[in-house]
Amino acid sequence: MLIIGLDYHPSFQQIAFVNTETGECGERRLEHGDQEAERFYRKLKEGGVSVRVGMEATGHARWFERLMAELGFELWIGDPAQIKAKRVRKQKTDRQDAQLILTLLMENRFPKVWVPSVENRDLRQLLWHRHRLVQMRTRVMNQLQAVAMNEGLRRKKGLWSKSGRAQLESFLLAPWATRRRRDLLELLDQLTRSITELSTAIEQEGKKRPEVVRLMTHPGVGPLTGLAFVLIIGPPERFRCGKQIGSYLGLIPCEDSSAGKQRLGHISKQGNSLLRFLLVEAAQIAVRDDPNWRRKYVHLAMRRERRIAKVAMARKLAICLYWMLRKEWNYQQLLKFGSHAGQLETGHGVE
């Protein structure tokens, strides 16, 4: 078998390789622009050599992953933080990075991570696309609010009603201000149509999956949050307990404790930013709509502060959804059979 340690960059890759049968070893720099890298791997395929490639998790490498799948080569994706922790020398070069990955592969110490399927990744693009369009629409709406306030109109959400928009369009503005208002309104209409289409697609995808439908029985959880949780968490068996979910999503505080002194900071934010955002939003809806969640939130907010309470409720929601996903429970079954059954009704919940 040919084992390759790969340090990937968008324009090139540095490799270090060892043939376990012949003992041959070496290193090369392969350019991407002139398809040198693709020719190199296709030549290995023609030679009938079994190949295992290890690389750090990184972006802009979809084409390379598709190439490895097409050629039938093993591609191992590693955790960059764990790989970095195994680097002893303070010097860092592309060659040394490739050699380190090769060494970890040869010694069976490579920190391999779970890689989602192609379908999973494509559906994530749907979620991210809608999320970015919503952010763009918010910026457009803020600019239109500024236009209205400059003309003495402050209606907040009422500006997007029929009467509010009619008022906004009725202002007599200077030529370029008129052009700006017209373009912003056109952008707003176009973005709203696109977001509506994407929201419908997300709802349809959620209905196809029983696990998403079960998660939607939880207060505050809709198709977007449910589908995002299922896609990003993946197989729930990857996690031994609910506490690991909070760590995986970056909803636990940073810690620098030593000598009996505990020092906690802000949340780590090391997980998926989209799912973390959706969980915070969904937790606030659950707090608003469900008396039990509201009681727990008020208790936390009085002990600490509202911002901390919001994050704590988001972490609580993530753990609840994890157990619903793992045990194939709906919300009522979670209340009945959860690890702290009945405590949600008294304001404690599943931990």
Side-chain angles (χ1 to χ4, degrees):
M1 172 179 283
L2 184 66
I3 300 180
I4 299 176
L6 186 153
D7 183 42
Y8 185 91
H9 296 268
S11 57
F12 72 94
Q13 57 183 261
Q14 180 73 33
I15 66 171
F17 58 87
V18 169
N19 191 318
T20 57
E21 297 178 359
T22 64
E24 178 186 1
C25 59
E27 56 185 35
R28 285 188 61 176
R29 176 187 169 110
L30 303 174
E31 300 292 336
H32 296 162
D34 59 358
Q35 298 184 336
E36 179 186 8
E38 183 173 350
R39 291 195 300 270
F40 172 79
Y41 290 106
R42 291 193 181 279
K43 187 175 180 181
L44 293 179
K45 178 65 175 179
E46 294 172 0
V49 182
S50 59
V51 178
R52 176 182 298 158
V53 180
M55 61 181 287
E56 293 183 355
T58 183
H60 314 296
R62 297 288 172 83
W63 71 272
F64 184 72
E65 295 177 21
R66 289 196 298 268
L67 176 64
M68 295 295 99
E70 176 189 344
L71 299 178
F73 293 166
E74 289 185 62
L75 178 61
W76 288 14
I77 307 295
D79 184 345
Q82 294 189 41
I83 293 176
K84 181 179 179 180
K86 298 178 186 298
R87 184 183 297 117
V88 178
R89 298 176 60 86
K90 292 188 176 181
Q91 292 79 11
K92 179 185 181 302
T93 65
D94 296 337
R95 292 178 59 190
Q96 290 175 341
D97 288 345
Q99 287 286 353
L100 173 61
I101 293 174
L102 176 61
T103 300
L104 296 177
L105 288 169
M106 295 292 294
E107 297 177 355
N108 293 322
R109 295 191 295 124
F110 186 76
K112 189 177 179 181
V113 298
W114 171 72
V115 179
S117 65
V118 175
E119 179 189 10
N120 184 311
R121 290 185 173 187
D122 191 47
L123 284 175
R124 292 190 190 193
Q125 294 298 312
L126 168 62
L127 302 179
W128 272 111
H129 185 42
R130 182 193 177 279
H131 181 63
R132 296 304 186 196
L133 290 185
V134 170
Q135 290 179 325
M136 292 169 62
R137 183 176 66 176
T138 301
R139 296 189 187 101
V140 171
M141 294 170 72
N142 289 341
Q143 293 184 63
L144 287 170
Q145 287 280 9
V147 171
M149 286 190 290
N150 280 328
E151 299 302 318
L153 177 65
R154 188 170 186 267
R155 294 192 58 177
K156 297 184 179 180
K157 293 183 178 179
L159 187 64
W160 315 120
S161 64
K162 290 184 178 180
S163 61
R165 177 152 178 166
Q167 281 185 282
L168 179 61
E169 293 177 340
S170 66
F171 294 134
L172 295 177
L173 305 176
W176 284 112
T178 302
R179 169 67 181 273
R180 182 189 180 204
R181 177 183 59 186
R182 184 179 72 247
D183 290 349
L184 288 174
L185 287 173
E186 291 175 357
L187 277 174
L188 177 62
D189 293 337
Q190 181 181 354
L191 289 170
T192 300
R193 286 194 299 269
S194 298
I195 291 169
T196 301
E197 294 174 2
L198 295 174
S199 299
T200 302
I202 289 172
E203 185 175 353
Q204 293 173 350
E205 290 292 338
K207 290 180 179 178
K208 295 178 184 177
R209 293 167 168 76
E211 59 272 27
V212 177
V213 175
R214 284 193 296 269
L215 295 185
M216 289 169 57
T217 62
H218 194 291
V221 177
L224 177 59
T225 304
L227 183 60
F229 193 86
V230 169
L231 293 177
I232 294 170
I233 294 300
E237 295 77 16
R238 297 196 298 134
F239 305 94
R240 294 193 300 271
C241 62
K243 290 184 178 180
Q244 291 185 341
I245 291 292
S247 176
Y248 183 74
L249 297 177
L251 289 170
I252 62 172
C254 299
E255 184 172 1
D256 185 16
S257 300
S258 179
K261 293 185 178 180
Q262 187 179 42
R263 302 177 182 88
L264 300 178
H266 298 293
I267 59 173
S268 65
K269 296 185 180 181
Q270 289 185 310
N272 186 281
S273 60
L274 173 59
L275 183 54
R276 188 166 54 249
F277 170 82
L278 293 175
L279 287 170
V280 173
E281 294 291 313
Q284 293 181 68
I285 297 174
V287 166
R288 185 184 63 200
D289 296 344
D290 187 274
N292 299 322
W293 281 74
R294 176 68 180 175
R295 186 162 50 249
K296 181 66 174 177
Y297 169 77
V298 171
H299 177 67
L300 288 171
M302 292 177 65
R303 284 177 50 205
R304 306 297 297 276
E305 59 174 292
R306 292 177 61 186
R307 293 178 301 172
I308 295 176
K310 288 179 181 180
V311 175
M313 297 307 291
R315 175 184 173 274
K316 184 182 191 66
L317 176 60
I319 294 174
C320 288
L321 295 182
Y322 163 74
W323 285 112
M324 292 172 66
L325 184 63
R326 180 165 180 171
K327 298 294 186 179
E328 299 183 357
W329 287 339
N330 58 32
Y331 184 60
Q332 293 303 319
Q333 290 173 313
L334 177 71
L335 294 178
K336 184 177 181 180
F337 303 117
S339 59
H340 292 264
Q343 292 189 19
L344 271 173
E345 300 179 358
T346 62
H348 297 288
V350 179
E351 298 295 342

